[in-house]
Amino acid sequence: MANHKSSIKRIKTSAAKRLRNRYQAKTTRNAIKKLRATTSKEDAATLLPRVISMLDRLAKKNVIHKNKASNNKSKLTKFVNGLA
């Protein structure tokens, strides 16, 4: 167990940040799955900017790596453009 006030506070804040990061990452993964499940191009085109924004936000906060975000955005854009 931590002995210093600052280390106790650090444990609390990092736990809170971890929960927030997990929530946001899971929400983004669910949005990606929802986008991949869409068959209509119009629905996918409206979802794509929202998902890209979520990925950019996660990469900015270092929850996911920036290259992973970039790869996901590229694959999703190709997917949406390939829909009939």
Side-chain angles (χ1 to χ4, degrees):
M1 184 64 201
N3 293 320
H4 297 281
K5 262 188 170 181
S6 61
S7 56
I8 292 170
K9 181 181 178 185
R10 175 62 61 197
I11 289 169
K12 287 180 185 176
T13 57
S14 58
K17 284 182 183 180
R18 179 175 170 269
L19 281 177
R20 191 178 317 117
N21 289 342
R22 284 180 63 201
Y23 171 77
Q24 290 174 346
K26 185 65 175 178
T27 305
T28 304
R29 283 198 303 272
N30 287 338
I32 290 172
K33 287 175 190 171
K34 184 178 177 184
L35 177 62
R36 285 222 173 258
T38 12
T39 53
S40 119
K41 187 167 182 140
E42 296 81 29
D43 293 340
T46 58
L47 277 175
L48 183 65
R50 192 172 307 144
V51 172
I52 286 178
S53 171
M54 293 170 129
L55 287 168
D56 285 336
R57 209 171 305 130
L58 288 180
K60 182 180 177 186
K61 294 179 179 178
N62 289 322
V63 177
I64 61 173
H65 196 273
K66 62 178 182 168
N67 291 351
K68 180 182 176 78
S70 181
N71 286 335
N72 280 338
K73 291 190 307 188
S74 172
K75 287 176 184 174
L76 291 171
T77 305
K78 280 177 73 173
F79 169 76
V80 170
N81 289 338
L83 287 174

